[in-house]
Every structure is written in structure tokens, then in C-alpha cells.
Coordinates of all heavy atoms in Angstrom, one line a residue:
M535 N 13.5 -32.5 26.2 CA 14.6 -31.8 25.9 C 15.5 -32.1 27.1 O 15.2 -32.0 28.2 CB 14.4 -30.2 25.8 CG 15.6 -29.5 25.5 SD 16.2 -29.5 23.7 CE 14.8 -29.0 22.9
V536 N 16.8 -32.4 26.7 CA 18.0 -32.7 27.6 C 19.0 -31.6 27.6 O 19.5 -31.3 26.4 CB 18.6 -34.1 27.4 CG1 19.7 -34.3 28.4 CG2 17.6 -35.1 27.6
Y537 N 19.3 -31.0 28.6 CA 20.4 -29.9 28.6 C 21.5 -30.5 29.3 O 21.5 -31.1 30.5 CB 19.9 -28.7 29.3 CG 18.7 -28.0 28.6 CD1 17.4 -28.2 29.2 CD2 18.9 -27.3 27.5 CE1 16.4 -27.6 28.7 CE2 17.6 -26.8 26.9 CZ 16.5 -26.9 27.5 OH 15.4 -26.4 26.9
V538 N 22.8 -30.2 28.8 CA 24.1 -30.8 29.4 C 25.1 -29.7 29.0 O 25.0 -29.1 27.9 CB 24.5 -32.1 28.9 CG1 24.5 -32.1 27.4 CG2 25.6 -32.7 29.5
T539 N 26.0 -29.6 30.0 CA 27.2 -28.6 29.8 C 28.1 -29.1 28.8 O 28.3 -30.4 28.7 CB 27.8 -28.2 31.1 OG1 28.5 -29.3 31.7 CG2 26.9 -27.5 32.1
R540 N 28.7 -28.4 28.0 CA 29.8 -28.7 27.0 C 30.9 -29.5 27.7 O 31.4 -30.3 27.3 CB 30.3 -27.5 26.2 CG 31.4 -27.9 25.3 CD 31.9 -26.7 24.5 NE 30.8 -26.1 23.7 CZ 30.4 -24.8 23.8 NH1 31.1 -24.0 24.5 NH2 29.5 -24.4 22.9
G541 N 31.4 -29.0 28.9 CA 32.5 -29.5 29.7 C 32.1 -31.0 30.0 O 32.9 -31.9 30.0
L542 N 30.9 -31.2 30.5 CA 30.5 -32.5 30.9 C 30.6 -33.4 29.8 O 30.9 -34.6 29.7 CB 29.1 -32.5 31.6 CG 28.6 -33.9 32.0 CD1 29.4 -34.5 33.0 CD2 27.2 -33.8 32.6
V543 N 30.0 -33.0 28.5 CA 30.0 -33.9 27.3 C 31.4 -34.2 27.0 O 31.7 -35.5 26.7 CB 29.3 -33.1 26.2 CG1 29.6 -33.9 24.8 CG2 27.8 -33.0 26.3
E544 N 32.4 -33.3 27.0 CA 33.8 -33.6 26.7 C 34.2 -34.6 27.6 O 35.0 -35.6 27.2 CB 34.6 -32.3 26.8 CG 34.2 -31.4 25.7 CD 34.9 -30.0 25.8 OE1 35.7 -29.8 26.8 OE2 34.6 -29.2 25.0
V545 N 34.1 -34.6 28.9 CA 34.5 -35.6 30.0 C 33.9 -36.9 29.8 O 34.6 -37.9 29.8 CB 34.3 -35.0 31.3 CG1 34.5 -36.1 32.4 CG2 35.2 -33.9 31.8
L546 N 32.7 -37.0 29.3 CA 31.9 -38.2 29.2 C 32.5 -39.0 28.0 O 32.7 -40.1 28.0 CB 30.5 -38.1 29.1 CG 29.7 -37.6 30.4 CD1 28.3 -37.4 30.2 CD2 29.9 -38.6 31.5
L547 N 32.7 -38.2 26.9 CA 33.3 -38.7 25.7 C 34.8 -39.3 26.0 O 35.1 -40.4 25.5 CB 33.3 -37.7 24.6 CG 31.9 -37.4 24.0 CD1 32.0 -36.3 23.0 CD2 31.2 -38.6 23.5
E548 N 35.5 -38.6 26.8 CA 36.8 -39.0 27.2 C 36.8 -40.5 28.0 O 37.5 -41.3 27.8 CB 37.6 -38.0 28.0 CG 38.1 -36.9 27.2 CD 38.8 -35.8 28.0 OE1 39.3 -36.2 29.2 OE2 38.8 -34.7 27.6
L549 N 35.8 -40.5 29.0 CA 35.6 -41.7 29.7 C 35.2 -42.9 28.8 O 35.7 -44.0 29.0 CB 34.5 -41.4 30.8 CG 34.9 -40.6 32.0 CD1 33.7 -40.3 32.8 CD2 36.0 -41.3 32.8
A550 N 34.4 -42.6 27.8 CA 34.0 -43.6 27.0 C 35.2 -44.1 26.1 O 35.3 -45.3 25.8 CB 32.8 -43.1 26.0
A551 N 36.0 -43.1 25.6 CA 37.1 -43.5 24.8 C 38.1 -44.4 25.6 O 38.6 -45.3 25.2 CB 37.8 -42.3 24.2
D552 N 38.3 -44.0 26.9 CA 39.3 -44.8 27.7 C 38.7 -46.1 28.1 O 39.5 -47.1 28.3 CB 39.5 -43.9 29.0 CG 40.3 -42.7 28.9 OD1 40.9 -42.5 27.8 OD2 40.2 -41.9 29.8
A553 N 37.3 -46.2 28.2 CA 36.8 -47.6 28.5 C 36.8 -48.5 27.3 O 36.7 -49.7 27.5 CB 35.4 -47.4 29.0
E554 N 36.9 -48.1 26.1 CA 36.9 -48.8 24.9 C 37.9 -50.0 25.0 O 39.0 -49.8 25.4 CB 37.1 -48.0 23.6 CG 37.0 -48.6 22.4 CD 35.6 -48.8 21.9 OE1 34.7 -48.0 22.4 OE2 35.3 -49.7 21.2
P555 N 37.6 -51.3 24.6 CA 36.4 -51.6 24.0 C 35.2 -52.2 25.0 O 34.1 -52.5 24.6 CB 36.8 -52.9 23.3 CG 37.8 -53.6 24.2 CD 38.5 -52.3 24.9
D556 N 35.4 -51.7 26.2 CA 34.2 -52.0 27.2 C 33.4 -50.8 27.1 O 33.8 -49.7 26.8 CB 34.8 -52.2 28.6 CG 35.7 -53.5 28.7 OD1 35.4 -54.5 28.0 OD2 36.8 -53.5 29.3
G557 N 32.2 -51.0 27.9 CA 31.2 -49.9 27.9 C 31.5 -49.1 29.2 O 32.3 -49.5 30.0
A558 N 30.9 -47.9 29.2 CA 31.0 -47.1 30.4 C 29.5 -46.9 30.9 O 28.5 -46.9 30.1 CB 31.6 -45.8 30.0
N559 N 29.4 -46.7 32.2 CA 28.1 -46.5 32.9 C 28.4 -45.5 33.9 O 28.9 -45.8 35.0 CB 27.5 -47.8 33.4 CG 26.1 -47.7 33.8 OD1 25.6 -46.6 34.1 ND2 25.6 -48.8 33.9
V560 N 28.0 -44.1 33.7 CA 28.3 -43.1 34.7 C 27.0 -42.4 35.1 O 26.1 -42.1 34.3 CB 29.1 -42.1 33.9 CG1 29.6 -40.9 34.8 CG2 30.4 -42.7 33.2
V561 N 26.9 -42.4 36.4 CA 25.8 -41.5 37.0 C 26.0 -40.2 36.9 O 27.1 -39.6 37.2 CB 25.6 -41.9 38.5 CG1 24.5 -41.2 39.1 CG2 25.4 -43.4 38.6
L562 N 25.1 -39.3 36.5 CA 25.0 -37.8 36.3 C 24.2 -37.2 37.2 O 23.0 -37.7 37.8 CB 24.6 -37.6 34.7 CG 25.3 -38.3 33.7 CD1 24.7 -38.0 32.4 CD2 26.8 -38.0 33.7
S563 N 24.4 -35.9 37.5 CA 23.7 -35.1 38.5 C 23.3 -33.7 37.7 O 24.2 -33.3 36.9 CB 24.4 -34.9 39.8 OG 23.6 -34.1 40.5
A564 N 22.3 -33.2 38.0 CA 21.9 -31.9 37.4 C 21.9 -30.8 38.4 O 21.9 -30.9 39.6 CB 20.6 -32.0 36.9
T565 N 22.0 -29.5 37.9 CA 22.0 -28.2 38.4 C 20.8 -27.5 37.7 O 20.6 -27.5 36.5 CB 23.2 -27.4 38.3 OG1 24.3 -28.3 38.8 CG2 23.2 -26.1 39.0
S566 N 20.0 -26.8 38.6 CA 19.0 -26.0 38.0 C 19.4 -24.8 37.2 O 20.5 -24.2 37.5 CB 17.9 -25.4 39.1 OG 18.5 -24.7 39.9
A567 N 18.8 -24.5 36.2 CA 19.2 -23.5 35.2 C 19.3 -22.2 36.0 O 20.2 -21.2 35.6 CB 18.2 -23.3 34.0
G568 N 18.4 -21.9 37.0 CA 18.5 -20.7 37.8 C 19.8 -20.4 38.5 O 20.0 -19.3 39.0
A569 N 20.7 -21.4 38.7 CA 21.9 -21.3 39.5 C 23.1 -20.8 38.6 O 24.1 -20.5 39.1 CB 22.3 -22.7 40.0
F570 N 22.8 -20.7 37.2 CA 23.9 -20.2 36.4 C 24.0 -18.7 36.3 O 23.0 -18.0 36.3 CB 23.7 -20.8 34.9 CG 24.0 -22.3 34.9 CD1 23.1 -23.3 35.2 CD2 25.2 -22.7 34.3 CE1 23.4 -24.6 35.2 CE2 25.5 -24.0 34.4 CZ 24.7 -25.0 34.6
E571 N 25.2 -18.3 36.2 CA 25.4 -16.8 36.0 C 26.3 -16.6 34.7 O 27.4 -17.4 34.6 CB 26.2 -16.2 37.2 CG 25.4 -16.1 38.5 CD 24.4 -15.0 38.3 OE1 24.5 -14.0 37.6 OE2 23.3 -15.3 39.0
P572 N 26.0 -15.7 33.7 CA 24.8 -15.0 33.7 C 23.6 -15.9 33.6 O 23.7 -17.1 33.1 CB 25.0 -14.2 32.6 CG 26.1 -14.8 31.7 CD 26.8 -15.6 32.7
P573 N 22.4 -15.4 33.8 CA 21.2 -16.1 33.7 C 21.0 -16.8 32.2 O 21.4 -16.1 31.3 CB 20.0 -15.1 33.9 CG 20.7 -14.1 34.7 CD 22.0 -14.0 34.1
L574 N 20.5 -18.1 32.2 CA 20.3 -18.7 31.0 C 19.0 -18.3 30.5 O 18.0 -18.1 31.2 CB 20.5 -20.1 31.0 CG 21.9 -20.6 31.6 CD1 21.9 -22.2 31.8 CD2 23.0 -20.2 30.6
D575 N 18.8 -18.5 29.2 CA 17.3 -18.3 28.6 C 16.6 -19.6 28.6 O 16.1 -20.1 27.7 CB 17.6 -17.9 27.1 CG 16.2 -17.4 26.5 OD1 15.3 -16.9 27.3 OD2 16.0 -17.4 25.3
L576 N 16.4 -20.1 29.8 CA 15.6 -21.3 30.2 C 14.9 -21.0 31.4 O 15.1 -20.1 32.3 CB 16.6 -22.5 30.4 CG 17.4 -22.9 29.2 CD1 18.5 -24.0 29.8 CD2 16.7 -23.6 28.2
D577 N 13.9 -21.9 31.7 CA 13.1 -21.8 32.8 C 14.1 -22.1 33.9 O 14.9 -23.1 33.9 CB 12.0 -23.2 32.9 CG 11.2 -23.2 34.0 OD1 11.6 -22.7 35.2 OD2 10.1 -23.8 34.0
P578 N 14.1 -21.3 35.0 CA 15.0 -21.4 36.1 C 15.0 -22.7 36.8 O 16.0 -23.2 37.4 CB 14.6 -20.3 37.2 CG 13.7 -19.3 36.4 CD 13.1 -20.2 35.3
D579 N 13.9 -23.5 36.7 CA 13.8 -24.9 37.2 C 14.4 -25.9 36.3 O 14.3 -27.2 36.8 CB 12.5 -25.1 37.8 CG 12.0 -24.3 39.0 OD1 12.9 -23.9 39.7 OD2 10.8 -24.0 39.0
A580 N 14.7 -25.6 35.0 CA 15.0 -26.6 34.1 C 16.5 -27.2 34.6 O 17.3 -26.6 34.8 CB 15.4 -26.0 32.8
P581 N 16.5 -28.7 34.6 CA 17.7 -29.3 35.2 C 18.6 -29.4 34.0 O 18.3 -29.6 32.7 CB 17.2 -30.7 35.3 CG 16.0 -30.9 34.6 CD 15.4 -29.6 34.4
I582 N 19.9 -29.0 34.2 CA 21.0 -29.1 33.2 C 22.0 -30.0 33.9 O 22.5 -29.9 34.9 CB 21.7 -27.7 33.1 CG1 20.6 -26.8 32.6 CG2 22.8 -27.8 32.2 CD1 21.1 -25.2 32.4
L583 N 22.2 -31.1 33.1 CA 23.4 -32.0 33.6 C 24.7 -31.4 33.6 O 25.1 -30.8 32.7 CB 23.4 -33.2 32.6 CG 22.1 -34.0 32.6 CD1 22.2 -35.1 31.5 CD2 21.8 -34.6 33.9
T584 N 25.3 -31.5 34.8 CA 26.5 -30.7 35.1 C 27.5 -31.5 35.7 O 28.7 -31.2 35.5 CB 26.3 -29.5 36.0 OG1 25.7 -29.8 37.2 CG2 25.5 -28.4 35.2
H585 N 27.4 -32.5 36.5 CA 28.3 -33.3 37.2 C 28.2 -34.8 36.9 O 27.1 -35.2 36.5 CB 27.9 -33.1 38.7 CG 28.1 -31.7 39.1 ND1 27.2 -30.8 39.0 CD2 29.1 -31.1 39.6 CE1 27.6 -29.6 39.4 NE2 28.8 -29.8 39.9
F586 N 29.2 -35.5 37.3 CA 29.2 -36.9 37.1 C 29.8 -37.6 38.4 O 30.6 -36.9 39.1 CB 29.9 -37.6 35.9 CG 31.3 -37.3 35.8 CD1 32.2 -38.5 36.3 CD2 31.9 -36.1 35.6 CE1 33.5 -38.3 36.3 CE2 33.3 -36.0 35.6 CZ 34.2 -36.9 35.9
Y587 N 29.5 -38.8 38.7 CA 30.2 -39.6 39.7 C 31.0 -40.6 39.2 O 30.5 -41.4 38.3 CB 29.0 -40.2 40.8 CG 28.3 -39.0 41.4 CD1 27.0 -38.6 40.9 CD2 28.8 -38.3 42.5 CE1 26.3 -37.5 41.4 CE2 28.1 -37.2 43.0 CZ 26.9 -36.9 42.5 OH 26.2 -35.9 43.1
L588 N 32.2 -40.8 39.6 CA 33.1 -41.8 39.1 C 32.4 -43.2 39.3 O 32.0 -43.5 40.2 CB 34.5 -41.7 39.9 CG 35.2 -40.5 39.5 CD1 36.6 -40.4 40.5 CD2 35.7 -40.4 38.1
P589 N 32.5 -43.9 38.0 CA 31.8 -45.3 38.0 C 32.5 -46.1 39.1 O 31.7 -47.0 39.5 CB 32.2 -45.7 36.7 CG 32.5 -44.6 35.9 CD 33.0 -43.5 36.8
D590 N 33.7 -46.0 39.4 CA 34.3 -47.0 40.4 C 34.2 -46.5 41.9 O 34.6 -47.4 42.8 CB 35.8 -47.0 40.1 CG 36.0 -47.7 38.7 OD1 35.1 -48.7 38.2 OD2 37.0 -47.5 38.0
A591 N 33.7 -45.4 42.1 CA 33.5 -44.9 43.5 C 32.6 -45.7 44.2 O 31.5 -45.9 43.9 CB 33.1 -43.4 43.6
G592 N 33.2 -46.4 45.4 CA 32.2 -47.2 46.3 C 31.9 -48.6 45.7 O 31.1 -49.2 46.1
R593 N 32.6 -48.9 44.5 CA 32.2 -50.2 43.9 C 32.5 -51.4 44.8 O 31.5 -52.3 44.8 CB 33.1 -50.4 42.6 CG 32.7 -51.7 41.9 CD 33.2 -51.8 40.6 NE 32.4 -50.9 39.7 CZ 32.6 -50.7 38.4 NH1 33.8 -51.1 37.9 NH2 32.0 -49.8 37.7
S594 N 33.5 -51.4 45.6 CA 33.7 -52.8 46.5 C 32.5 -52.8 47.5 O 32.1 -53.9 47.8 CB 35.1 -52.6 47.1 OG 35.1 -51.4 47.9
I595 N 32.2 -51.7 48.1 CA 31.1 -51.7 49.1 C 29.6 -52.1 48.3 O 29.0 -53.0 48.9 CB 30.8 -50.5 49.9 CG1 32.1 -50.0 50.5 CG2 29.7 -50.4 50.7 CD1 32.4 -50.9 51.7
S596 N 29.5 -51.6 47.2 CA 28.4 -51.9 46.4 C 28.2 -53.5 46.1 O 27.2 -54.1 46.2 CB 28.3 -51.1 45.2 OG 27.1 -51.4 44.3
N597 N 29.4 -54.0 45.6 CA 29.5 -55.3 45.2 C 29.2 -56.3 46.5 O 28.5 -57.3 46.3 CB 30.9 -55.6 44.7 CG 31.1 -55.1 43.2 OD1 30.1 -54.7 42.7 ND2 32.4 -55.0 42.9
V598 N 29.6 -55.9 47.7 CA 29.4 -56.8 48.8 C 28.1 -56.5 49.4 O 27.4 -57.5 49.7 CB 30.5 -56.5 49.9 CG1 30.3 -57.3 51.1 CG2 31.8 -56.9 49.2
F599 N 27.6 -55.3 49.5 CA 26.4 -55.1 50.4 C 25.2 -54.6 49.5 O 24.3 -54.4 50.0 CB 26.7 -54.0 51.5 CG 27.8 -54.4 52.4 CD1 28.9 -53.9 52.4 CD2 27.4 -55.4 53.4 CE1 29.9 -54.4 53.3 CE2 28.4 -55.9 54.3 CZ 29.6 -55.2 54.3
G600 N 25.5 -54.3 48.2 CA 24.5 -53.8 47.4 C 24.0 -52.4 47.5 O 23.0 -51.9 47.3
V601 N 24.8 -51.7 48.2 CA 24.6 -50.2 48.6 C 25.6 -49.4 47.8 O 26.7 -49.6 47.8 CB 24.9 -50.0 50.2 CG1 24.6 -48.5 50.3 CG2 24.0 -50.8 51.0
D602 N 24.9 -48.3 47.0 CA 25.7 -47.4 46.2 C 26.2 -46.3 47.0 O 25.4 -45.3 47.4 CB 24.9 -46.9 45.0 CG 25.6 -46.0 44.2 OD1 26.9 -45.9 44.4 OD2 25.0 -45.5 43.2
L603 N 27.4 -46.3 47.6 CA 27.9 -45.3 48.4 C 28.8 -44.2 47.5 O 29.2 -43.1 47.9 CB 28.9 -45.8 49.4 CG 28.3 -46.7 50.4 CD1 29.5 -47.2 51.3 CD2 27.2 -46.0 51.2
G604 N 28.8 -44.4 46.2 CA 29.5 -43.5 45.3 C 28.7 -42.4 44.8 O 29.0 -41.4 44.3
T605 N 27.3 -42.4 45.0 CA 26.3 -41.5 44.6 C 25.6 -41.0 45.8 O 24.9 -41.7 46.6 CB 25.4 -42.0 43.6 OG1 26.0 -42.7 42.5 CG2 24.4 -40.9 43.1
P606 N 25.7 -39.6 46.2 CA 25.0 -39.2 47.3 C 23.5 -39.2 47.1 O 22.9 -39.3 46.0 CB 25.3 -37.6 47.3 CG 26.6 -37.5 46.5 CD 26.5 -38.7 45.5
P607 N 22.8 -39.4 48.2 CA 21.3 -39.6 48.2 C 20.7 -38.4 47.5 O 21.0 -37.2 47.7 CB 20.8 -39.7 49.6 CG 22.1 -40.0 50.4 CD 23.2 -39.5 49.6
G608 N 19.6 -38.7 46.6 CA 18.9 -37.7 45.9 C 19.5 -37.2 44.8 O 19.0 -36.4 44.0
R609 N 20.7 -37.8 44.4 CA 21.5 -37.3 43.2 C 21.5 -38.5 42.3 O 21.1 -39.5 42.4 CB 22.9 -37.0 43.6 CG 23.1 -35.9 44.5 CD 22.7 -34.6 43.9 NE 22.8 -33.5 44.8 CZ 23.3 -32.3 44.4 NH1 23.6 -32.1 43.1 NH2 23.5 -31.4 45.3
G610 N 22.0 -38.2 41.0 CA 22.2 -39.2 40.0 C 20.9 -39.6 39.4 O 20.6 -40.8 39.3
R611 N 20.2 -38.7 38.9 CA 18.8 -39.1 38.3 C 18.9 -39.3 36.7 O 18.0 -39.5 36.1 CB 17.9 -38.0 38.6 CG 17.5 -37.9 40.0 CD 16.4 -37.0 40.2 NE 16.1 -36.9 41.7 CZ 15.5 -36.0 42.3 NH1 14.9 -35.1 41.6 NH2 15.3 -36.1 43.7
A612 N 20.3 -39.1 36.4 CA 20.5 -39.5 34.9 C 21.7 -40.4 34.7 O 22.4 -40.5 35.7 CB 20.6 -38.2 34.1
R613 N 21.9 -41.0 33.6 CA 23.0 -41.9 33.4 C 23.5 -41.8 32.0 O 22.7 -41.7 31.1 CB 22.5 -43.3 33.7 CG 23.5 -44.4 33.9 CD 23.0 -45.7 34.4 NE 22.4 -45.6 35.7 CZ 23.3 -45.9 36.7 NH1 24.5 -46.2 36.5 NH2 22.8 -45.9 38.0
F614 N 24.9 -41.9 31.9 CA 25.5 -41.9 30.6 C 25.9 -43.4 30.3 O 26.8 -43.8 31.2 CB 26.7 -41.0 30.6 CG 27.6 -41.0 29.3 CD1 27.2 -40.5 28.2 CD2 28.9 -41.6 29.3 CE1 28.0 -40.5 27.0 CE2 29.6 -41.7 28.3 CZ 29.2 -41.2 27.2
V615 N 25.4 -44.1 29.4 CA 25.7 -45.4 29.2 C 26.3 -45.5 27.6 O 25.7 -45.1 26.7 CB 24.6 -46.5 29.3 CG1 25.0 -47.8 29.0 CG2 24.0 -46.2 30.7
T616 N 27.5 -46.2 27.5 CA 28.0 -46.5 26.2 C 27.9 -47.9 25.7 O 27.9 -48.9 26.7 CB 29.5 -46.1 26.0 OG1 30.3 -47.0 26.8 CG2 29.7 -44.6 26.4
H617 N 27.7 -48.2 24.6 CA 27.6 -49.6 24.0 C 28.6 -49.6 22.8 O 28.1 -49.5 21.7 CB 26.2 -49.8 23.6 CG 25.2 -49.8 24.6 ND1 25.0 -50.7 25.6 CD2 24.3 -48.7 25.0 CE1 24.1 -50.4 26.5 NE2 23.7 -49.2 26.1
P618 N 29.8 -49.8 23.1 CA 30.9 -49.6 22.1 C 30.6 -50.8 21.0 O 31.1 -50.5 19.9 CB 32.2 -49.8 22.7 CG 31.9 -50.5 24.1 CD 30.5 -50.0 24.3
Q619 N 30.2 -51.8 21.3 CA 29.8 -52.8 20.3 C 28.4 -52.9 19.8 O 28.0 -53.8 18.9 CB 30.3 -54.1 20.8 CG 31.6 -54.2 21.3 CD 32.8 -53.8 20.3 OE1 32.6 -54.2 19.1 NE2 33.7 -53.1 20.8
G620 N 27.6 -52.0 20.2 CA 26.2 -51.9 19.9 C 26.0 -51.0 18.6 O 26.8 -50.7 17.9
E621 N 24.7 -50.7 18.4 CA 24.2 -49.8 17.3 C 24.9 -48.5 17.4 O 24.9 -47.9 18.4 CB 22.7 -49.8 17.4 CG 22.1 -49.0 16.2 CD 20.7 -48.9 16.2 OE1 20.1 -49.9 16.9 OE2 20.1 -48.0 15.6
L622 N 25.3 -48.0 16.3 CA 25.9 -46.5 16.3 C 24.8 -45.6 16.1 O 24.6 -45.0 15.1 CB 27.0 -46.6 15.1 CG 28.1 -47.4 15.3 CD1 29.1 -47.3 14.0 CD2 28.9 -47.0 16.6
A623 N 24.1 -45.3 17.3 CA 23.1 -44.4 17.3 C 23.0 -43.6 18.5 O 23.2 -44.2 19.6 CB 21.7 -44.9 16.9
V624 N 22.6 -42.4 18.6 CA 22.4 -41.6 19.8 C 21.1 -41.9 20.3 O 20.0 -41.9 19.6 CB 22.6 -40.1 19.6 CG1 22.3 -39.4 20.8 CG2 24.0 -39.8 19.0
T625 N 21.0 -42.2 21.7 CA 19.6 -42.4 22.3 C 19.5 -41.5 23.5 O 20.4 -40.9 24.0 CB 19.5 -43.9 22.8 OG1 20.4 -44.1 23.7 CG2 19.6 -44.9 21.6
E626 N 18.3 -41.2 23.9 CA 17.9 -40.4 25.1 C 17.3 -41.3 26.1 O 16.5 -42.1 25.8 CB 17.0 -39.3 24.6 CG 16.7 -38.3 25.6 CD 15.7 -37.2 25.2 OE1 15.9 -36.6 24.1 OE2 14.8 -36.9 25.9

């Protein structure tokens, strides 16, 4: 099961629409369910995707040195990838 906030889904869909006809590849980060107020009806340790890192952040450094400075260490364990010219199906 993948949990994601409604606001993040809306932003990701906008990023995908803006990137059209090219693809989008966005690093995502999660917040534990226990951090939400009011409490959610989930295991407090359940990860909920809540944040994203701009795809272009740190790109010039990454291209030269191969180091991703746009994503803080220990973050970004999920990714949103679009394939605008690919199969029209949702994947996990």
C-alpha cells in the first residue's frame, strides 16, 4: 500500500503536465503517519509521501561530479516518473 497526500498528488500532476511531451522524474520523501494532527487511522510508523525535491535542483553539480546535491542524505526513497509517450497505465 502506498500513501500520499492529496496536495502532493496535485503538484506532481502539474509537474507532469508542464513537462509534457517530455517525461518527469521527481524524488519524493515521506513523513511518518504519527506526525500528522489529528492522528490518522494508520500505523504511526507508516510512511506517507508528503514532499518532493525539484528535479533541477543541483543538476549542474550532479552532471559534472555525479553527486546528487538536490536531495538531502537519507531522503528520497520514492520517485514519481512519467512516461508521456508510454503505456497509459498506473504503476507502483
Side-chain angles (χ1 to χ4, degrees):
M535 181 73 61
V536 176
Y537 299 103
V538 61
T539 62
R540 180 177 296 130
L542 180 59
V543 169
E544 290 172 2
V545 168
L546 293 173
L547 292 176
E548 286 178 23
L549 286 172
D552 290 345
E554 186 73 32
D556 296 322
N559 188 339
V560 182
V561 177
L562 306 176
S563 184
T565 302
S566 65
F570 284 82
E571 289 291 330
L574 302 176
D575 189 23
L576 296 171
D577 179 336
D579 293 328
I582 300 173
L583 297 173
T584 55
H585 297 81
F586 71 97
Y587 296 98
L588 292 172
D590 294 332
R593 179 169 285 171
S594 59
I595 299 295
S596 177
N597 290 343
V598 174
F599 299 106
V601 178
D602 181 6
L603 296 179
T605 306
R609 298 293 183 140
R611 297 189 177 161
R613 192 170 289 276
F614 173 77
V615 180
T616 64
H617 302 282
Q619 303 305 319
E621 181 180 339
L622 297 177
V624 175
T625 61
E626 181 179 315

